[in-house]
Amino acid sequence: MSLKVEEVRQIAANADCLFTRDQVEAALDRMAAAVTRDLQDRDPLVLCVMLGGLLPAAKLIERLQFPFQYDYLHATRYRGGTRGGDLYWITRPSMAVRDRCILVVDDILDEGLTLRAIVDYLRQEGAAEVRSAALVMKMHDRRPADSTVDYAGLEVPDRYVFGYGMDYKGYLRSAAGIYALRES
């Protein structure tokens, strides 16, 4: 479903800014410091979860000043909508994960189902260790207690958010901050 440009502009204009660009960049600095502390001597393979993880992963890896390899995977539950469904694999990692330390980077941890399936897959493929990072962690009680990330940048309320990789129906991923749809 394609939205009219004016509808997208209205969504953006009426959204609530939860975090400015500077606040998001500071969160990425904190995440990079923690990743560096933990993984700088592990020769990790950093995996970006497409599409949403593209911007957070790019901004995170530019801050990592140690040797690592970079690849991507593409698995989604949203497929352009605003509600998740079953996990759909588009592309699995092209680099071998067996016996590697893996860092999976995504845009948001909501219910954690997508990330859990990705982590389970990587473990089944023989990864020695799998760590995860999400720029945003949505705060609610629908996520199982064991569904978390090792590195989280920001916490947001239980609202539909977009910006810094997260989209609204395929649009607004490049918004310079984290925004929430205006509550009616």
Side-chain angles (χ1 to χ4, degrees):
M1 172 183 180
S2 181
L3 298 177
K4 293 181 181 174
V5 172
E6 191 52 40
E7 290 176 84
V8 175
R9 287 188 178 124
Q10 286 291 352
I11 292 292
N14 293 319
D16 296 322
C17 181
L18 302 179
F19 295 98
T20 65
R21 176 193 303 263
D22 288 344
Q23 291 171 311
V24 177
E25 293 293 325
L28 286 159
D29 289 341
R30 291 188 301 273
M31 290 174 70
V35 169
T36 298
R37 178 194 67 227
D38 295 345
L39 302 183
Q40 66 183 335
D41 297 323
R42 305 289 316 274
D43 184 27
L45 171 59
V46 178
L47 291 176
C48 168
V49 179
M50 298 295 276
L51 291 167
L54 178 63
L55 288 176
K59 294 200 171 268
L60 180 65
I61 66 170
E62 73 183 4
R63 291 164 162 83
L64 302 180
Q65 300 303 307
F66 61 85
F68 64 89
Q69 290 182 303
Y70 187 61
D71 196 2
Y72 75 97
L73 59 86
H74 195 168
T76 183
R77 292 182 48 245
Y78 290 88
R79 300 176 83 175
T82 58
R83 301 191 62 85
D86 292 333
L87 185 71
Y88 177 72
W89 278 97
I90 298 167
T91 305
R92 296 174 197 264
S94 63
M95 299 181 79
V97 300
R98 179 166 298 287
D99 300 324
R100 295 291 306 268
C101 172
I102 308 293
L103 174 62
V104 179
V105 182
D106 206 354
D107 54 355
I108 187 168
L109 181 70
D110 190 342
E111 293 178 7
L113 302 175
T114 303
L115 184 60
R116 181 181 303 200
I118 290 167
V119 168
D120 288 348
Y121 166 79
L122 294 168
R123 287 184 177 141
Q124 289 169 3
E125 292 296 304
E129 176 182 9
V130 181
R131 298 208 184 185
S132 57
L135 177 59
V136 170
M137 194 157 143
K138 192 178 282 190
M139 304 312 294
H140 55 65
D141 60 3
R142 294 184 310 277
R143 183 175 45 255
D146 63 345
S147 185
T148 188
V149 291
D150 299 290
Y151 311 99
L154 301 163
E155 294 179 350
V156 296
D158 190 16
R159 295 175 62 189
Y160 195 91
V161 295
F162 62 87
Y164 264 82
M166 297 169 286
D167 72 297
Y168 175 75
K169 296 185 179 181
Y171 293 89
L172 303 172
R173 287 186 191 277
S174 63
I178 305 294
Y179 295 85
L181 294 182
R182 176 77 38 99
E183 293 179 323
S184 17

